[in-house]
Amino acid sequence: MELSGAEIISTFLADEGVEYIFGYPGGSVLHIYDALFKQDKVKHVLVRHEQAAAHAADGYARSTGKVGVVLVTSGPGMTNAVTGIATAYMDSIPMVVISGQVPTAMIGSDAFQEVDSVGISRPCVKHNFLVKKLEDLAPTLRKAFYVASTGRPGPVLIDIPKDMTDPNVKMDYVYPSNVSMRSYNPNIKGNHKQVKKAVKLILSAKKPVMYTGGGVVLSNASNELRKIVDRLNLPITQTLMGLGAYPGTAKRSLGMLGMHGTYEANMAMHETDVLIAVGARFDDRVTGNLEKFCPDAKIIHIDIDPSSISKNVKVDVPIVGDVEEVLTDLITVLDELGVNEDETRFTNWWKEIEDWRKKKCLSYKKKKDVIQPQSVVEKLYKVTKGKAFVTSDVGQHQMFAAQYYLFDEPRQWINSGGLGTMGFGLPAAMGVQLAHPEATVACITGEGSIQMNIQELATCLQYGLPIKIINLNNKYLGMVRQWQEFFYEGRYAMSYMDTIPDFVKLAESYGHVGMQITNPADTEDALKEAFAMKDKLVFLDFLTDREANVYPMISAGKGHHEMQLAPESELI
Amino acid sequence: MRHIISILMENESGALSRVAGLFSARGYNIESLTVAPTEDGSLSRMTLVTHGSDEIIEQITKQLNKLIDVVKLNDLNMNQGNVNHIEREMMLIKVKHGSLRDEVSRLVDIFRGRIIDVDEHSYTVELTGTSDKLDAFIRALETDTILETVRSGVMGICRGEGALKL
Ligand SMILES: Cc1cc2nc3c(=O)[nH]c(=O)nc-3n(C[C@H](O)[C@H](O)[C@H](O)COP(=O)(O)OP(=O)(O)OC[C@H]3O[C@@H](n4cnc5c(N)ncnc54)[C@H](O)[C@@H]3O)c2cc1C
Ligand SMILES: Cc1ncc(C[n+]2csc(CCOP(=O)(O)OP(=O)(O)O)c2C)c(N)n1
Ligand SMILES: [Mg+2]
């Protein structure tokens, strides 16, 4: 088949099974847009800002496990996408970004809308390519998808100069189904000896803890994880990125750990003698002060990326491999040893944990006159029966969402953990809703974050995306305010905005439904009403307790056992 | 500790900046770095000298291995100590000889260097050896006689049969 570069791109994307691409046109990608226009296999979603294109592709990827695809023009198109690319990079999300570039002959001449896209993106992509020859185009596209989706996933950028897509220059195209790269061979199978060693260590433990993260979700290893945890009667705590891989409502789940984790999870971390870390990267939000981290524990770490192992915390039994492969192997070893499910295993340890649970660290005072943000999340859980896809932005509302919506399935909870990107929630929800047209999708956000990509309300109308936006409006950059309350003697420097739009009118002006809720008693009904509008986007503006804080909290320099709990006065 | 890391990487335009970018982004230090294509034109070989604790060196090699353009690498100091590798650096140094022509040329002999260019005021000397040896030569000269120095950075190779090859 003789095709132009632009046609190679559109044909390749269809051959690769790409359903949606998220993008925004401009000079250097016009040939590509023209080729896309002439076909109907790959659907293009026109966002209103390139950052949102990347977040939408990201939401699509997180909720499906497939590669999210982005198309942007050179210069400002690409730079606008950078925040979205970096967000995907920090959370290891598979993504391919195609950016237009000025024609090859003009590269380096400060041409109109020229930026060094390969240079700018280099620190926040898994890999990137500049296509210099038409015959490289198809193989490079294939490599990009391969690299993005294998090993530790991540975004890959392909910069394509305009002359590479010239409609008048054609060459033969066949889908390059084989891809081989001598310098890229991710290690999938874990070392069996190490796995046996790990099992031995776990069986010898008195106070084991399973600490799992985003890697379990990325590896689709939820079933294996559940089998092991249940068979061994292990207490399990999950990172912000791992929530849902093991059901949040199950009795062995201690909830999230770390800075805003539960009392029982963090205390268990402090007391554990064998820590089993699975697809988690010992992030500073999780570990707290490294010197006080798991003082008595031998540590097993399963991760596909050797550089994640012993990066922040030295581990005793490293296992490099894909979580699903390694856990499957681990189950085989348990079978061989005849280790069966036993509810009485670790009984004394569970007694200690039950005592910590009695603190009920997530309780909060329910007031009559003002809506508590936590209660909105609890009611949302109730109204959606715990089955919604929930995306979020960044701030207190994100932590409340993580703490009070108990996720039972992987890929159900979608948020920016590593980069903590405000503005992520709404565009990510668009990607989720497109991938799952029948599903209920809620975006829990704050009045600060939602304004960082509010323009996407127009995209939602264009594509008929009935997202429910739950705006926990405290009229503060709440997370910043909380830190200022705790650590800056209440000097609220720039954490307050006094010109907040009327979100109801704003939603309406974009063609959606807006609701404002001020009375706690109305919370549940409002949610029911909104979710009953199956094909409408509804913006629910909840005016919440302005000074609510996120508890528990581990402050800088503190260990897991030094959590700050909600003061008595703020409890029931 | 000081480590010499040899890297085989794809001979592609962006490869060097990926390595340099990695070091600056992660705050690792580079003492020297040399790179040139190998007998296989699709591969470049880089020698990188860095120092850091064992943990940092471990992270450096892991991070380098993670770069897609890095095909293979070898930490020459790993598990074999200094005796099991050979390292060399080359220096070109221009020295004012003034009235001390003989003295400078004797010094060059002692260090087994070669005078490769001469004019009425200066010698240009070529000297190869370990970095310490080059440093020692510089120290042996009067500072104000040195007009210019160029050093290649360290190259290293392991002794015996071990080879960094595909
Ligand atoms: C305001 C705010 C507060 C936060 N507070 C908390 C908090 O209290 N608690 C908390 O936990 N987080 C918190 N975070 C998130 C935190 O910043 C990190 O993003 C998060 O802890 C990292 O999660 P993770 O360790 O699961 O790693 P991820 O970033 O999900 O990394 C996944 C790991 O798994 C590995 N991996 C990937 N694929 C595979 C595979 N197939 N097989 C094996 N391994 C694989 C990767 O190499 C990597 O090491 C907060 C973020 C924000 C913005
Ligand atoms: C793009 C970006 N800029 C700044 C920050 C720093 N930041 C973290 S949370 C936060 C406040 C968020 O406010 P809001 O969305 O209203 O959420 P709340 O904390 O009030 O629930 C800020 C400014 C960030 N995470 N992302
Ligand atoms: Mg707010």
Side-chain angles (χ1 to χ4, degrees), chain A residues 86-240:
Chain A
T87 302
Y89 180 69
M90 287 297 280
D91 291 340
S92 307
I93 305 305
M95 178 184 287
V96 167
V97 181
I98 298 172
S99 56
Q101 184 54 278
V102 301
T104 316
M106 292 172 81
I107 289 180
S109 68
D110 299 322
F112 176 63
Q113 295 195 326
E114 177 182 4
V115 291
D116 175 9
S117 299
V118 165
I120 287 176
S121 62
R122 198 183 53 232
C124 60
V125 292
K126 182 169 171 186
H127 194 57
N128 57 22
F129 300 93
L130 172 65
V131 178
K132 290 188 204 144
K133 287 189 278 191
L134 185 53
E135 57 265 38
D136 290 345
L137 183 56
T140 304
L141 284 160
R142 185 71 192 94
K143 279 185 195 167
F145 277 80
Y146 172 62
V147 170
S149 59
T150 52
R152 179 178 184 168
V156 175
L157 177 131
I158 317 174
D159 204 26
I160 305 182
K162 189 168 183 180
D163 50 314
M164 293 295 130
T165 56
D166 184 342
N168 298 315
V169 184
K170 304 205 172 200
M171 67 166 279
D172 200 41
Y173 164 83
V174 259
Y175 174 72
S177 42
N178 287 328
V179 52
S180 85
M181 295 171 75
R182 61 179 173 188
S183 58
Y184 176 69
N185 297 299
N187 198 352
I188 304 296
K189 280 232 172 307
N191 181 319
H192 185 63
K193 272 194 192 143
Q194 290 291 91
V195 175
K196 278 188 166 160
K197 210 165 145 189
V199 170
K200 233 180 175 175
L201 190 57
I202 299 169
L203 294 176
S204 74
K206 295 212 159 43
K207 302 176 169 193
V209 170
M210 193 82 154
Y211 145 53
T212 63
V216 180
V217 178
L218 293 164
S219 167
N220 298 316
S222 203
N223 286 335
E224 290 77 6
L225 177 72
R226 290 169 189 211
K227 280 189 197 151
I228 292 172
V229 168
D230 293 346
R231 188 174 317 181
L232 294 176
N233 198 26
L234 292 169
I236 173 171
T237 174
Q238 306 179 80
T239 69
L240 184 71

Side-chain angles (χ1 to χ4, degrees), chain B residues 2-37:
Chain B
R2 174 175 177 274
H3 282 248
I4 302 177
I5 301 172
S6 283
I7 306 167
L8 273 186
M9 56 191 202
E10 299 289 350
N11 187 7
E12 301 210 6
S13 57
L16 176 61
S17 61
R18 289 182 211 279
V19 173
L22 172 73
F23 273 69
S24 64
R26 296 196 180 260
Y28 307 142
N29 59 64
I30 303 185
E31 206 172 281
S32 77
L33 182 159
T34 75
V35 58

Side-chain angles (χ1 to χ4, degrees), chain A residues 164-419:
Chain A
M164 293 295 130
T165 56
D166 184 342
N168 298 315
V169 184
K170 304 205 172 200
M171 67 166 279
D172 200 41
Y173 164 83
V174 259
Y175 174 72
S177 42
N178 287 328
V179 52
S180 85
M181 295 171 75
R182 61 179 173 188
S183 58
Y184 176 69
N185 297 299
N187 198 352
I188 304 296
K189 280 232 172 307
N191 181 319
H192 185 63
K193 272 194 192 143
Q194 290 291 91
V195 175
K196 278 188 166 160
K197 210 165 145 189
V199 170
K200 233 180 175 175
L201 190 57
I202 299 169
L203 294 176
S204 74
K206 295 212 159 43
K207 302 176 169 193
V209 170
M210 193 82 154
Y211 145 53
T212 63
V216 180
V217 178
L218 293 164
S219 167
N220 298 316
S222 203
N223 286 335
E224 290 77 6
L225 177 72
R226 290 169 189 211
K227 280 189 197 151
I228 292 172
V229 168
D230 293 346
R231 188 174 317 181
L232 294 176
N233 198 26
L234 292 169
I236 173 171
T237 174
Q238 306 179 80
T239 69
L240 184 71
M241 300 313 296
L243 296 175
Y246 188 85
T249 52
K251 62 180 183 202
R252 296 185 180 94
S253 163
L254 309 187
M256 185 169 81
L257 78 164
M259 181 175 273
H260 292 300
T262 65
Y263 184 72
E264 50 272 31
N266 287 333
M267 288 307 291
M269 288 294 285
H270 188 69
E271 294 285 325
T272 182
D273 61 350
V274 173
L275 181 69
I276 311 143
V278 185
R281 58 183 172 82
F282 295 83
D283 182 79
D284 53 81
R285 306 277 107 165
V286 164
T287 60
N289 186 336
L290 286 173
E291 284 175 11
K292 301 180 185 175
F293 179 76
C294 296
D296 303 323
K298 287 253 186 283
I299 304 177
I300 299 162
H301 189 188
I302 303 169
D303 202 293
I304 203 162
D305 178 358
S307 75
S308 273
I309 291 178
S310 291
K311 178 173 66 176
N312 301 332
V313 172
K314 188 113 188 95
V315 308
D316 303 283
V317 185
I319 304 174
V320 178
D322 176 62
V323 171
E324 197 191 9
E325 293 275 343
V326 176
L327 293 188
T328 304
D329 194 17
L330 205 147
I331 292 172
T332 315
V333 175
L334 291 177
D335 288 343
E336 282 167 12
L337 294 175
V339 180
N340 294 319
E341 186 157 343
D342 177 3
E343 295 259 337
T344 62
R345 214 189 297 274
F346 309 122
T347 303
N348 290 336
W349 178 221
W350 273 109
K351 275 190 196 134
E352 261 185 85
I353 292 171
E354 292 307 336
D355 280 343
W356 292 323
R357 273 183 166 160
K358 285 186 192 130
K359 280 250 186 209
K360 296 204 176 305
C361 68
L362 293 179
S363 37
Y364 60 96
K365 195 184 245 167
K366 297 193 176 77
K367 298 178 186 160
K368 280 228 161 60
D369 52 336
V370 54
I371 300 174
Q372 292 307 114
Q374 300 94 326
S375 77
V376 179
V377 179
E378 286 183 328
K379 291 276 159 42
L380 174 70
Y381 180 87
K382 191 171 161 204
V383 170
T384 57
K385 303 190 176 67
K387 301 246 182 294
F389 281 97
V390 177
T391 73
S392 98
D393 270 297
V394 174
Q396 293 183 316
H397 61 272
Q398 176 190 24
M399 294 298 110
F400 292 137
Q403 292 174 327
Y404 296 89
Y405 200 107
L406 300 175
F407 298 96
D408 278 346
E409 294 301 327
R411 305 192 180 281
Q412 199 190 344
W413 163 238
I414 285 165
N415 81 133
S416 163
L419 199 66

Side-chain angles (χ1 to χ4, degrees), chain A residues 396-397 445-449 471-479:
Chain A
Q396 293 183 316
H397 61 272
T445 184
E447 81 298 331
S449 294
N471 189 34
L472 302 181
N473 185 349
N474 51 12
K475 301 188 181 164
Y476 273 122
L477 301 175
M479 182 60 86

Side-chain angles (χ1 to χ4, degrees), chain A residues 375-376 378-385 440 466 468-470 513 515 517 520-536 538 540 542:
Chain A
S375 77
V376 179
E378 286 183 328
K379 291 276 159 42
L380 174 70
Y381 180 87
K382 191 171 161 204
V383 170
T384 57
K385 303 190 176 67
T440 303
K468 304 298 177 284
I469 297 175
I470 316 294
V513 179
M515 294 163 72
I517 305 95
D522 297 339
T523 304
E524 192 169 330
D525 286 344
L527 285 164
K528 279 186 182 151
E529 191 186 334
F531 282 95
M533 291 186 246
K534 290 247 178 279
D535 40 9
K536 289 255 182 237
V538 185
L540 294 109
F542 288 94

